[in-house]
Amino acid sequence: MKFDELKLEDAILDGLYAMHFEETTPIQELSIPPILERKDIMGFAQTGSGKTAAYVLPVLNELSKGGYPADAINAVIMSPTRELAQQIDQQIEGFSYYVPVSAVAVYGGTDGIAYSQQERGLRMGADIVIATPGRLLSHLNMGSVDLSQTSFFILDEADRMLDMGFYDDIMQIYKQLPANCQVIMFSATMPPKIKKLAQTILKDPVEIKIAIARPPEAILQSAYICYEAQKLPILRHLFKQSNPQRVIIFSSSKMKVKELAITLQRLELNVRAMHSDLEQAEREQVMKDFKNRHTDILVATDVVSRGIDITDISLIINYDIPNDPEDYVHRIGRTARGTNGEGVAITFVGLEEQSRFKEIETFLGKTIYKIPVDPSFGEVPAYEPEKNRGRMRGRKPGSLGAKPARQKGKESFRPKNAQKNHRKPNR
């Protein structure tokens, strides 16, 4: 469907055409009409499906018609992370180019000057506030926010916010909204806690489901079954075989992220680390350098697994297994978003991680190809997830493990004998 087939104002369409947006994605086609009809929405859509525009465009459309108080906060968009809040703010800036709508992003990790700027924008009544739950609640408690006239309340990546422990914050914010406020929720997954939240805050919602938490078939997924101490030698060999560019390496531990980035830098690789210990300005600079190709490899925690709009990632490496299958989907979903629509994801599976990796395979409904490890790296464990279930780590959390002597091997990013059971998605 084309955007001009929807009931959008000319000013919104002008902005879309200027940005070369003509056709809707499925989530946009299904979400925009009921939002324009002022119905509550419960949407399930994978990251990268275009869900931000699915709620931003109809909200901008309604605000552009006028009739909303000029000195009030008319829409609140909740985001789990500052990075996603910044991205939403940037998209609003583009979509609203021909619309007299103001927006302010409110998130933590900033200095006193930035906090004062946020507070001033809130007191003046920005049309749209994009905020992380903790920081918005802080402003509410300080008395600098009045949500009594808010008309739109949007929860983006609601499942992620609940995973991060923001349920109580969200409910405190929700209680400040007027009874007639339209509520829109988007989530990549549908666990029981999301159903509970939806039943609590949504009024007779329209439910929309699009490709819930499944990675694109265009991603070639594979894994190395190995011991923890073998991960680093295998990784070093991978980077020797093929010059690494546009690569993200994910780890669940910020300590391991720091150690791994330093180790790779000593190998004279162009690497930066991204984790929660960085100041906000540092995080923004790291992401800017990576997006602008000044950095080849980004080693990161799950802080960047969702909501970061980088479309040309060629390779995702899971240095260790994420805590749940949904996080795996979001990690590898950073690739296969470029012009060729293809990507590669490689996962290192330690002995104690086998059961969690099996859970991922069960969740995906497929067996992920196991790349044979060259014998020169030493003996590797058999893949026996049931037998190894519950096995405890034998080292301190976050440690890269012992560093065995450098070995020769023959692995490559895309093994010739890998099962190519993927296809290009329909466009």
Side-chain angles (χ1 to χ4, degrees):
M1 175 182 286
K2 293 186 178 297
F3 281 107
D4 58 13
E5 297 179 60
L6 299 170
K7 297 178 181 179
L8 295 173
E9 299 293 303
D10 289 342
I12 301 295
L13 293 174
D14 288 343
L16 287 168
Y17 296 149
M19 298 172 68
H20 305 290
F21 284 89
E22 295 185 4
E23 294 190 356
T24 63
T25 65
I27 191 65
Q28 293 162 3
E29 178 181 345
L30 294 175
S31 299
I32 291 176
I35 294 176
L36 291 175
E37 293 172 5
R38 299 305 303 270
K39 295 180 180 179
D40 284 8
I41 296 290
M42 180 67 258
F44 299 96
Q46 183 176 319
T47 296
S49 61
K51 60 182 171 58
T52 303
Y55 62 76
V56 164
L57 291 174
V59 168
L60 286 174
N61 189 82
E62 296 308 291
L63 293 177
S64 71
K65 295 178 181 179
Y68 294 87
D71 59 347
I73 296 172
N74 294 307
V76 173
I77 301 173
M78 303 302 304
S79 160
T81 66
R82 70 192 77 180
E83 288 78 18
L84 180 56
Q86 291 169 331
Q87 180 184 319
I88 296 169
D89 189 30
Q90 292 167 2
Q91 293 196 38
I92 290 175
E93 183 178 359
F95 291 138
S96 63
Y97 188 80
Y98 297 101
V99 180
V101 172
S102 61
V104 60
V106 177
Y107 46 82
T110 57
D111 56 22
I113 296 177
Y115 186 92
S116 298
Q117 291 174 341
Q118 294 175 7
E119 184 179 27
R120 184 164 57 253
L122 292 169
R123 288 189 183 278
M124 292 176 63
D127 289 303
I128 303 175
V129 171
I130 312 104
T132 53
R135 182 47 62 98
L136 183 58
L137 188 59
S138 174
H139 281 288
L140 272 170
N141 292 334
M142 293 291 291
S144 53
V145 179
D146 178 8
L147 303 183
S148 63
Q149 300 184 74
T150 300
S151 298
F152 306 93
F153 184 59
I154 299 106
L155 299 175
D156 197 352
E157 296 198 359
D159 54 345
R160 188 64 170 171
M161 281 190 275
L162 297 193
D163 286 342
M164 297 170 70
F166 286 132
Y167 180 85
D168 290 340
D169 290 357
I170 290 170
M171 292 308 300
Q172 288 188 57
I173 295 167
Y174 172 75
K175 291 175 182 177
Q176 304 298 316
L177 301 170
N180 62 347
C181 181
Q182 182 180 6
V183 181
I184 300 163
M185 276 180 60
F186 278 98
S187 175
T189 58
M190 191 169 46
K193 54 192 174 184
I194 285 294
K195 293 182 180 179
K196 177 184 175 183
L197 179 63
Q199 292 170 353
T200 303
I201 70 175
L202 299 178
K203 303 175 291 293
D204 191 24
V206 174
E207 190 169 295
I208 300 167
K209 296 181 180 180
I210 299 290
I212 301 176
R214 292 295 185 272
E217 291 294 325
I219 301 176
L220 179 61
Q221 301 178 59
S222 58
Y224 286 102
I225 307 301
C226 59
Y227 290 107
E228 184 73 22
Q230 293 172 317
K231 292 182 178 181
L232 189 56
I234 294 173
L235 181 64
R236 285 198 301 247
H237 182 71
L238 285 175
F239 289 161
K240 280 189 175 182
Q241 292 290 98
S242 179
N243 184 34
Q245 292 182 330
R246 317 308 293 147
V247 178
I248 299 180
I249 304 174
F250 281 111
S251 173
S252 298
S253 162
K254 62 185 176 184
M255 183 186 301
K256 190 181 290 185
V257 164
K258 297 174 186 178
E259 293 179 2
L260 185 55
I262 292 172
T263 300
L264 296 178
Q265 287 167 357
R266 288 172 179 165
L267 297 176
E268 298 184 352
L269 294 170
N270 186 5
V271 182
R272 296 291 297 276
M274 182 71 166
H275 50 79
S276 59
D277 281 351
L278 296 179
E279 296 292 335
Q280 177 61 21
E282 294 177 294
R283 294 169 71 171
E284 291 179 8
Q285 188 61 50
V286 169
M287 291 308 304
K288 181 179 179 181
D289 288 344
F290 187 62
K291 288 182 180 181
N292 294 337
R293 293 177 171 267
H294 297 153
T295 300
D296 295 328
I297 305 170
L298 187 67
V299 186
T301 58
D302 285 307
V303 72
V304 296
S305 66
R306 301 194 187 204
I308 297 300
D309 189 16
I310 305 175
T311 59
D312 59 349
I313 304 303
S314 63
L315 172 66
I316 298 295
I317 294 177
N318 292 305
Y319 195 83
D320 50 26
I321 305 296
N323 291 325
D324 55 62
E326 288 89 350
D327 284 337
Y328 173 85
V329 170
H330 285 287
R331 284 185 181 186
I332 72 170
R334 298 306 93 201
T335 189
R337 303 178 72 184
T339 55
N340 63 4
E342 296 182 344
V344 179
I346 298 175
T347 300
F348 292 164
V349 185
L351 180 65
E352 68 282 355
E353 298 172 309
Q354 290 188 12
S355 61
R356 276 189 288 155
F357 189 68
K358 181 62 177 177
E359 290 174 1
I360 290 171
E361 291 184 308
T362 301
F363 180 80
L364 298 178
K366 64 184 292 184
T367 298
I368 296 175
Y369 175 69
K370 316 301 188 299
I371 305 173
V373 177
D374 191 275
S376 61
F377 286 105
E379 182 181 353
V380 297
Y383 185 53
E384 300 174 318
E386 290 300 324
K387 180 180 178 181
N388 294 311
R389 183 177 299 276
R391 183 184 291 269
M392 301 300 292
R393 293 179 182 267
R395 59 187 61 83
K396 294 180 180 180
S399 172
L400 292 179
K403 298 180 180 179
R406 186 173 298 179
Q407 304 282 353
K408 294 183 179 179
K410 301 179 181 179
E411 294 79 357
S412 64
F413 285 139
R414 188 186 291 268
K416 292 183 180 179
N417 59 342
Q419 296 174 351
K420 296 184 178 180
N421 58 349
H422 66 287
R423 58 179 176 80
K424 291 185 178 180
N426 294 327
R427 296 294 183 190

